[in-house]
């Protein structure tokens, strides 16, 4: 696939004109450390566009990246990082909730879950919120390199039934599994 142009625009922590500038937003949600930033980097084929970290929970703003001058990839703060103080976790959760329930909705909400761990209670709560608020959702099972081909069928069923979905994308930022098809799907969604 041709080169993707990606530019960091800004970090958003509340009302901001960028939310309503008319460009579609593709937002990446998921628990802390699941690989949201890594997935964005792999989609745009940049090692370092988005900082990834061994210290989860540091990013608390919504980071907007302008893609091909026409849409945004939004790196949403990770939820559920147990080591953060409760007040900080609740603040992050509140911020995510504010974005999920705000206007306009993202054109597509990508929910990233850990392929091996499977959906957590927070992931289930998040997809439930997406449903309540009318989001278009794509579920991505990242770190698929950790799930052997023999375990795929059972693990796939576990992910589908926990989230109540009929389909999801196996993805690995290490092996590039799923990258081309997810990118194609997201760019297509942003066009309509
Ligand atoms: N095995 C494996 N590890 C991955 C994959 N994608 C990301 N990781 C690792 O997972 C860790 C977290 O990645 P990040 O992209 O920083 O995760 P994040 O969801 O953005 O984390 P926060 O911003 O803290 O919420 C890093 O150590 C990555 O190298 C993958 O496909 N496979
Ligand atoms: Mg991140």
């Amino acid at each position: 696939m041709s080169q993707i142009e990606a530019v960091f625009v800004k970090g958003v922590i509340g009302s901001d004109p960028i939310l309503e500038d008319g460009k579609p937003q593709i937002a990446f949600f998921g628990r802390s450390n699941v690989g949201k930033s890594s997935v964005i980097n792999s989609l745009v084929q940049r090692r370092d566009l988005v900082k990834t970290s061994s210290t989860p929970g540091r990013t608390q703003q919504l980071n907007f990246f302008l893609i091909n001058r026409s849409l945004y990839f939004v790196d949403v703060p990770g939820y559920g990082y147990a080591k953060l103080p409760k007040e900080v976790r609740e603040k992050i959760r509140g911020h995510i909730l504010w974005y999920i329930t705000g206007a306009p909705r993202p054109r597509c909400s990508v929910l990233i879950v850990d392929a091996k761990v499977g959906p957590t209670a927070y992931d289930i709560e998040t997809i439930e919120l997406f449903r309540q608020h009318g989001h278009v959702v794509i579920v991505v099972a990242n770190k698929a390199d950790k799930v052997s081909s023999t375990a795929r069928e059972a693990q796939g069923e576990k992910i589908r039934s926990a989230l109540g979905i009929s389909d999801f994308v196996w993805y690995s930022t290490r092996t590039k599994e799923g990258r081309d098809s997810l990118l194609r799907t997201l760019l297509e969604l942003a066009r309509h």
Side-chain angles (χ1 to χ4, degrees):
M1 197 168 284
S2 55
Q3 194 66 30
I4 301 293
E5 187 192 66
V7 183
F8 174 69
V9 184
K10 62 158 79 170
V12 168
I13 48 161
S15 304
D16 192 290
I18 198 169
L19 292 160
E20 295 175 66
D21 73 0
K23 292 190 183 72
Q25 298 158 29
I26 307 279
F28 296 80
F29 296 83
R31 73 175 172 77
S32 195
N33 211 40
V34 75
K36 296 172 296 298
S37 305
S38 305
V39 167
I40 294 177
N41 282 333
S42 74
L43 287 171
V44 302
Q45 295 182 303
R46 293 261 296 272
R47 195 177 281 275
D48 56 351
L49 178 71
V50 193
K51 276 197 214 85
T52 59
S53 65
S54 44
T55 333
R58 263 206 313 225
T59 310
Q60 297 182 14
Q61 56 196 8
L62 300 155
N63 285 321
F64 277 65
F65 299 88
L66 182 61
I67 306 300
N68 293 347
R69 300 177 199 196
S70 59
L71 63 130
Y72 296 114
F73 280 176
V74 183
D75 193 10
V76 178
Y79 48 76
Y81 184 53
K83 287 188 190 154
L84 286 176
K86 193 157 180 258
E87 313 86 77
V88 179
R89 267 184 288 156
E90 277 172 8
K91 195 168 152 230
I92 294 174
R93 195 71 195 157
H95 193 205
I96 297 170
L97 190 63
W98 166 80
Y99 183 55
I100 291 177
T101 57
R105 302 278 189 265
R107 178 67 53 84
C108 174
S109 294
V110 179
L111 178 65
I112 305 180
V113 300
D114 188 298
K116 177 129 193 232
V117 174
T120 65
Y122 283 121
D123 296 326
I124 294 165
E125 186 186 320
T126 303
I127 201 163
E128 207 38 60
L129 283 167
F130 289 157
R131 290 201 180 98
Q132 283 166 21
H133 296 280
H135 288 231
V136 172
V137 182
I138 291 182
V139 174
V140 168
N142 187 41
K143 310 195 186 183
D145 52 282
K146 293 184 175 179
V147 182
S148 68
S149 52
T150 49
R152 289 276 177 115
E153 202 180 314
Q155 185 62 4
E157 186 45 38
K158 182 176 143 189
I159 293 169
R160 283 190 296 272
S161 65
L163 296 173
I165 52 171
S166 56
D167 209 5
F168 69 90
V169 183
W170 290 106
Y171 200 98
S172 169
T173 67
R174 300 262 162 100
T175 65
K176 307 280 189 263
E177 176 177 3
R179 186 264 176 192
D180 290 353
S181 74
L182 180 62
L183 181 64
R184 218 176 300 122
T185 305
L186 297 179
L187 294 181
E188 189 58 30
L189 273 170
R191 236 174 261 133
H192 298 290

